[in-house]
Amino acid sequence: MNRLSKAFRRTEKGSVGRSAGFSVIELLMVLAIAIILAAIALPNLYNSRRLFQTEDQALQLMDALSEASQLAMMRRRTFRLEVDLTDNAILIIDENNDDPDTLVKRLPLMSPADVRLDGPPSGVERPDPPNYFDIFFAEDEDGHFRNGDQVIGNTVWAARFRRDGSVVTPAGSPMSTTIYLWPPEVVGSDDARSLTEIRAITLFGGSGAVRYWKYNGTDFVSY
């Protein structure tokens, strides 16, 4: 009886020892399954993220437009917003009345390969109404100071927000314009990679208000 009892205890201990861990083969099988699942999930995650890049960029730009307008009204002086293609960034600049213009905030833009800010892509009709002028880029003749250094001559689109809430061009003329954001087929292409990813922002110069548009493949719809 003692022999059977001892044998049983030895068998029981052995089985417990084996169940407490995993074999190398089992670990390799789990690792292989994890790699397969990751290979399936990552491309889908990347494609899903790309679908929202244009919208994310549009929302960032609208936030910057709103911030520039609020700063101008709160501080009772003109603030300038620039979309700077040279630095690939959104800039908010304090014109400081008669003092040198100073950079207040810099927000990096997404890569031009992913999102283009310009007029509408080829074959896409503008929202009508209002059918305002498209965003227009030119050499920055005003410039600004950043960390004590003057930055001038970059390729920018600029809007000056005044303390009364209105928006004017760098020359002081009333500004109402529509900015288009869309994914190009390749960098510099005039064709959009996906029509349903096209977004637009209309800036109303009289009040500084904005209207957000999404393209449904046929027309722009206001949101």
Side-chain angles (χ1 to χ4, degrees):
M1 190 69 177
N2 290 336
R3 291 178 181 176
L4 291 173
S5 180
K6 290 179 180 179
F8 176 76
R9 283 198 296 271
R10 283 198 299 270
T11 303
E12 186 180 39
K13 289 180 181 177
S15 64
V16 170
R18 285 193 298 272
S19 64
F22 297 98
S23 68
V24 174
I25 295 176
E26 289 171 330
L27 291 173
L28 290 175
M29 288 177 63
V30 171
L31 181 60
I33 292 171
I35 292 172
I36 292 170
L37 291 175
I40 295 171
L42 287 177
N44 291 332
L45 180 63
Y46 174 73
N47 290 333
S48 176
R49 186 178 178 185
R50 286 184 70 184
L51 290 175
F52 293 98
Q53 284 183 319
T54 306
E55 186 148 341
D56 289 344
Q57 186 71 90
L59 294 175
Q60 182 190 46
L61 179 55
M62 285 194 293
D63 286 344
L65 291 167
S66 177
E67 183 174 356
S69 178
Q70 291 173 9
L71 285 169
M73 290 187 285
M74 288 172 55
R75 300 190 185 181
R76 309 299 295 168
R77 60 178 182 266
T78 301
F79 278 73
R80 187 168 76 250
L81 182 139
E82 293 182 353
V83 175
D84 189 326
L85 296 185
T86 304
D87 283 350
N88 198 43
I90 300 170
L91 310 178
I92 298 179
I93 298 166
D94 186 350
E95 294 197 347
N96 287 319
N97 295 327
D98 294 329
D99 294 326
D101 298 350
T102 306
L103 180 67
V104 173
K105 179 177 282 190
R106 181 183 185 276
L107 302 168
L109 290 167
M110 293 183 183
S111 167
D114 296 319
V115 180
R116 179 171 171 177
L117 276 74
D118 209 333
S122 178
V124 173
E125 296 292 330
R126 297 166 175 81
D128 189 11
N131 198 22
Y132 287 142
F133 291 113
D134 301 337
I135 185 174
F136 176 78
F137 291 93
E139 183 178 324
D140 180 15
E141 297 179 354
D142 295 321
H144 63 273
F145 278 85
R146 180 173 64 196
N147 299 325
D149 297 322
Q150 187 176 24
V151 179
I152 196 167
N154 288 1
T155 301
V156 306
W157 169 79
R160 300 174 69 234
F161 289 80
R162 301 195 296 192
R163 63 185 186 178
D164 62 359
S166 63
V167 187
V168 297
T169 66
S173 304
M175 169 186 281
S176 291
T177 189
T178 299
I179 307 161
Y180 300 86
L181 305 95
W182 43 277
E185 284 189 339
V186 294
V187 176
S189 171
D190 291 330
D191 296 316
R193 183 181 66 237
S194 170
L195 294 179
T196 56
E197 294 178 53
I198 299 170
R199 302 291 183 264
I201 301 167
T202 296
L203 175 64
F204 298 92
S207 63
V210 298
R211 178 176 293 174
Y212 184 44
W213 307 87
K214 294 183 181 181
Y215 195 69
N216 61 14
T218 305
D219 302 296
F220 279 100
V221 179
S222 177
Y223 283 81

